[in-house]
Amino acid sequence: MKPLPENPPGFWEHQQLEDMNEEILARLGGNWDEPPIHAAGWEMSPDLADLRLRARAVIEQDFGAAAVWGWKDPRMCLTLPFWQRLVPHMRYVMCVRNPIDVAHSLERRNGFPFEEGVDLWLTHVRSALAHTAGQQRCVIFYEDAMKNWRHELGRLATFLGLSELSESAEV
């Protein structure tokens, strides 16, 4: 995603996947800041068949040749069942940030009341935990990654089975 005035360094989201997540949420009657209430089995709905085809194509085109790959998008917390059907053998890295910091950020950036920001944080985190329950997941706290990135990089590399990469100067 391209930088915006409120985030000049830019984002780390993959634009096409972010767009698809927005479209999934819209088709379900919501969006990232007003998450829809999902009916059981929503991820298999015929109404999402065209998005499944587009998603498969993007994954194959952008990640098909990669031995290890991933993508970041907070909307994924809400749409994960859709993606799990397309990429069934995922490992999950959850970067959790302090809800107070998130709420203040949403207050500044979007004008959300503080309580609404905390509720939104809770909805996203609860959804991510529910959708990854029983799966391989590594939880990293944002604040820990900022304070001691070397240690957290080591944890992440070990989780991914790539411990040797954590010692690489490039990484």
Side-chain angles (χ1 to χ4, degrees):
M1 291 178 67
K2 295 178 181 168
L4 293 174
E6 64 268 14
N7 192 358
F11 298 86
W12 293 93
E13 284 86 348
H14 184 285
Q15 186 66 61
Q16 288 176 291
L17 298 179
E18 186 270 338
D19 291 344
M20 280 186 250
N21 277 328
E22 284 289 336
E23 194 165 344
I24 292 166
L25 293 171
R27 289 187 190 186
L28 296 173
N31 55 50
W32 72 270
D33 62 337
E34 292 182 21
I37 296 175
H38 302 311
W42 67 267
E43 68 276 8
M44 296 178 288
S45 169
D47 295 339
L48 300 176
D50 62 313
L51 284 177
R52 280 190 287 277
L53 289 174
R54 283 187 10 223
R56 278 190 188 99
V58 169
I59 289 169
E60 180 58 34
Q61 175 187 328
D62 290 1
F63 305 111
V68 177
W69 60 275
W71 75 93
K72 171 197 173 286
D73 182 1
R75 295 156 196 82
M76 192 66 60
C77 298
L78 307 171
T79 63
L80 194 51
F82 173 90
W83 298 101
Q84 287 170 323
R85 300 195 59 79
L86 299 175
V87 186
H89 302 291
M90 285 193 266
R91 291 186 209 177
Y92 302 93
V93 176
M94 296 176 57
C95 186
V96 180
R97 192 170 183 189
N98 183 317
I100 293 171
D101 293 340
V102 171
H104 282 309
S105 177
L106 291 170
E107 196 172 37
R108 278 190 309 274
R109 189 185 75 199
N110 300 84
F112 290 1
F114 180 81
E115 294 80 10
E116 187 177 323
V118 172
D119 286 345
L120 193 55
W121 175 91
L122 183 58
T123 298
H124 279 73
V125 171
R126 183 182 297 148
S127 182
L129 289 170
H131 296 315
T132 61
Q135 305 295 315
Q136 291 184 347
R137 68 180 174 200
C138 177
V139 178
I140 293 177
F141 294 96
Y142 176 84
E143 293 78 10
D144 292 345
M146 295 298 108
K147 288 179 189 169
N148 190 355
W149 65 267
R150 285 188 194 277
H151 174 73
E152 295 304 311
L153 176 62
R155 284 185 60 229
L156 180 58
T158 299
F159 172 71
L160 296 173
L162 301 167
S163 299
E164 69 283 356
L165 290 181
S166 69
E167 301 302 320
S168 166
E170 294 171 356
V171 174

